[in-house]
Amino acid sequence: MHTAAILVAGGTGSRFGGDLPKQYLPMNGKSVLQATIDKFAAHPRVDDLLVVIAADAELLYQNAVREPRPRFVLGGNSRADSVLAGLRELQKTSPDLVLIHDAARPHISAQQIDAVLDALVNHEGCAPALPIVDAIKKMAPSENKILADADRNDFVRMQTPQGFHFGKLVNANEVATNRQAAHDDISIALMAGMDCITIPGDPANIKITTRDDMSQQTIAISGSGFDVHRICEGKSLFLCGVEIGAGFSLQGHSDADVALHAVTDAILGALAEGDIGDHFPPSDDRWKNTNSRIFLKHAMQLAADKGARMRHVDLTIICERPKVKPYRLAMRECLAEIVDLPLSRVSVKATTTEGLGFTGRGEGIAAQAVVNMELPA
Ligand code: MG
């Protein structure tokens, strides 16, 4: 089976509100068109890839798509004409099957492509479709007047890729009586009496139409951190960036800010970047008496390098003394500034251990932190 795919990128993007057609706009570090191309180029069952672009879009295409670029042909004035230009180009190699896909649907999955191709074993045409979940009404055009109920089970929302037996679709384009009225390629196939079915579509496979659709796809990541420092003689200690004159200190190579260390480790955990000791070994004299804000800022820089963003941090300090409550707001303000969050998303809590264990005996102070972050998908 020789399978070709046509990516239809001929649209003018006039609904988008910008100068550039939407398939040429950047999303997650590459153009929408490049993202769509990558999905089809990586699919093992797609042997040939052709992009149909608007007549004046050659330079846009060169700028938006990196080498090795799929070959392209210039489209026509309508979607139907653009697809026809692609089919004519493919007639030179005459594939068995053809997939026709909107270039502005970059979230197409390999599974969806497989499912369309699988359906073509027994049918001449196939497209993914989604059920309608909202109530459907028949309307009077331009009057906003509701005329009657309609049964939503009679309708579906069509997606792409739409797949066809290549020769049958070429023939359908020749015999279809009203090609220009076709909304999609299934329309043309139906005009020619082809046997077409739908398969369940994928809600994630949206067609990018508005700026909201461009919003970055992210995944949620989280990390936890835990740290302990021993109490020692001294005048004051640092807790979450705030110096507290407690009449004792915390022992450590750096300033021993156990709370900031726990938050730093939580961020490193979310990024799967090891722990604070990997980045700032106690054996390295550079970090002697260091202000622990530097550790936290380093972790935030690592996050920024990966495009990760902080969403929420929750810190718990575990000790009998000092009493944390009088310093809690100052601690939240310090943490909020370093991790660049509003106060409403920075939590600092404290607890004792009821006199039990090393914290209860006043031998050390412990801290634990949980961070939630988002990472580009
Ligand atoms: Mg530590």
Side-chain angles (χ1 to χ4, degrees):
M1 273 293 175
H2 184 75
T3 299
I6 297 174
L7 302 184
V8 187
T12 60
S14 56
R15 271 179 299 170
F16 201 72
D19 292 326
L20 268 182
K22 53 200 170 289
Q23 61 270 21
Y24 296 114
L25 289 170
M27 184 181 74
N28 297 344
K30 53 175 122 168
S31 68
V32 169
L33 176 56
Q34 180 74 62
T36 308
I37 286 171
D38 288 347
K39 296 287 177 65
F40 281 85
H43 197 284
R45 291 165 75 181
V46 175
D47 305 298
D48 189 13
L49 190 52
L50 176 70
V51 183
V52 184
I53 64 173
D56 56 359
E58 207 167 319
L59 192 61
L60 279 176
Y61 179 69
Q62 310 278 2
N63 288 335
V65 179
R66 62 172 175 263
E67 303 273 10
R69 294 184 193 95
R71 71 187 199 280
F72 67 90
V73 291
L74 303 182
N77 289 324
S78 67
R79 183 193 158 85
D81 284 346
S82 291
V83 171
L84 189 57
L87 292 174
R88 291 217 168 104
E89 172 67 22
L90 290 181
Q91 275 184 300
K92 295 171 186 170
T93 50
S94 234
D96 301 300
L97 303 176
V98 62
L99 295 167
I100 300 169
H101 185 69
D102 299 324
R105 291 186 192 268
H107 303 305
I108 178 68
S109 69
Q111 292 85 342
Q112 188 84 94
I113 294 171
D114 276 326
V116 171
L117 291 174
D118 289 344
L120 294 177
V121 174
N122 294 313
H123 300 276
E124 295 170 340
C126 169
L130 292 170
I132 291 168
V133 292
D134 299 311
I136 297 292
K137 305 290 178 196
K138 182 154 176 53
M139 299 289 292
S142 78
E143 277 184 76
N144 290 339
K145 192 174 159 70
I146 300 170
L147 297 179
D149 271 331
D151 186 349
R152 67 181 169 213
N153 295 313
D154 288 344
F155 300 95
V156 290
R157 292 160 52 209
M158 300 300 288
Q159 296 186 310
T160 71
Q162 303 189 344
F164 304 92
H165 293 194
F166 179 76
K168 295 269 186 183
L169 186 67
V170 170
N171 181 60
N173 270 273
E174 281 161 12
V175 302
T177 48
N178 194 8
R179 277 186 55 253
Q180 296 307 330
H183 294 288
D184 60 8
D185 304 291
I186 289 281
S187 291
I188 291 171
L190 290 177
M191 286 174 195
M194 283 174 66
D195 154 43
C196 299
I197 63 157
T198 63
I199 57 164
D202 176 1
N205 182 22
I206 59 164
K207 185 173 186 176
I208 289 175
T209 310
T210 68
R211 282 216 179 263
D212 284 347
D213 298 335
M214 302 285 293
S215 62
Q216 186 132 304
Q217 302 281 316
T218 60
I219 54 167
I221 54 175
S222 53
S224 76
F226 179 76
D227 195 27
V228 171
H229 279 259
R230 185 184 291 272
I231 286 174
C232 64
E233 282 185 13
K235 292 193 183 105
S236 64
L237 74 163
F238 282 93
L239 265 186
C240 201
V242 177
E243 186 167 15
I244 301 174
F248 60 88
S249 286
L250 287 175
Q251 192 177 312
H253 190 67
S254 63
D255 68 5
D257 190 328
V258 64
L260 290 188
H261 294 184
V263 177
T264 303
D265 251 0
I267 295 168
L268 294 174
L271 302 173
E273 282 285 349
D275 58 42
I276 195 169
D278 295 334
H279 295 267
F280 302 99
S283 56
D284 189 334
D285 269 351
R286 266 185 304 167
W287 314 124
K288 197 165 169 59
N289 302 322
T290 291
N291 185 324
S292 294
R293 292 174 196 229
I294 288 172
F295 302 157
L296 186 52
K297 283 178 180 168
H298 172 79
M300 288 301 294
Q301 185 60 49
L302 281 178
D305 292 346
K306 294 180 176 222
R309 284 218 320 249
M310 184 68 89
R311 293 205 299 204
H312 186 264
V313 54
D314 182 26
L315 169 70
T316 303
I317 298 167
I318 305 159
C319 62
E320 304 287 332
R321 298 186 303 135
K323 288 294 166 213
V324 168
K325 203 168 185 178
Y327 305 98
R328 202 159 61 184
L329 181 60
M331 291 176 177
R332 288 174 69 203
E333 285 170 345
C334 171
L335 195 49
E337 190 213 314
I338 304 171
V339 301
D340 196 21
L341 278 182
L343 265 191
S344 58
R345 287 196 269 150
V346 175
S347 158
V348 174
K349 316 197 295 295
T351 186
T352 70
T353 49
E354 301 287 347
L356 300 171
F358 69 86
T359 54
R361 292 189 296 271
E363 295 167 7
I365 294 180
Q368 61 186 33
V370 173
V371 297
N372 278 282
M373 307 177 77
E374 59 185 19
L375 191 67

